[in-house]
Amino acid sequence: MNSTDTRPVLVTGATGRVGRLVVDQLLDAGVPVRALTRHPAAAATLPAKAEVFTGDLTEPESLDPALRGAGAVFLVWTAPPRTAPAVIERLAAQVRRVVLLSSPHRTPHPFFRQPNPMAELHAGIERLIAATGLETTVIRPGMLASNSLAWWAPTIRAGKAVRWPYGAAETAPVDDRDVAAVSARTLYQRGHAGGDYVLTGSESLTQAAQVGVIGDAWDTGSRSRR
């Protein structure tokens, strides 16, 4: 079994879909958590055991209190790229490890080879981190299963036909909880420096098939509630 590092882990995006789950996974493993949020009111949604810090990736100096004494950072970049160099410089000066939630933009799959501003952003941040010499692990989830909640769920609930581009394109959606579990393990367990992990679900389905599965499940649930 790999040894573990139990110094505090700073989780950026701590109230987001994956970050919030990473907070829970780390606390369950007994790892002290520092949760970064832009809005103090959001602290109410975080576990009492998490130490909450207010900070913003667009204001690099605001990260300093949360970084002091931390052992690792879970980095979810949701800001414009302008401040990325200054943020990465601060990380390199104060912590030893970074786990970056990125994207599978290096994967030779047509779905991920399309021009994509988010992929370009991730690639740029990866280059910045690599230049610092930080111990780095890159997490590359494919399609997050929770995307369907924003994309298709409202239309399906309304009983309308889903109209969506590239219905024949195949993806293997990965559960957000699985992404969080892998991310948390690489944050506190040694042996993952240099890791570059592409995460997918267990089955590749066309987007049209995914909509069909969700629709069938919704119909079944609706009938059981009658």
Side-chain angles (χ1 to χ4, degrees), residues 19 22 27 40 43 49 68 81 101 122 124 137 149 151 157 160-161 191-193 197-198 204 207 211 224:
V22 170
L27 291 174
K49 290 183 178 180
R68 293 190 190 102
L101 185 66
H122 287 154
T137 306
L149 295 174
W151 292 350
R157 290 193 186 104
K160 299 178 181 179
H192 296 285
Y197 303 138
V198 176
S204 182
Q207 295 197 99
V211 171
S224 67

Side-chain angles (χ1 to χ4, degrees), residues 10-74:
L10 174 61
V11 178
T12 68
T15 58
R17 286 185 291 170
V18 176
R20 179 63 181 78
L21 297 170
V22 170
V23 169
D24 288 339
Q25 291 274 351
L26 291 171
L27 291 174
D28 288 346
V31 179
V33 172
R34 295 178 177 179
L36 189 75
T37 177
R38 289 180 297 170
H39 307 294
T45 67
L46 292 162
K49 290 183 178 180
E51 187 178 7
V52 180
F53 288 81
T54 301
D56 194 321
L57 295 174
T58 65
E59 300 175 4
E61 66 281 359
S62 71
L63 307 181
D64 289 343
L67 287 169
R68 293 190 190 102
V73 174
F74 180 61

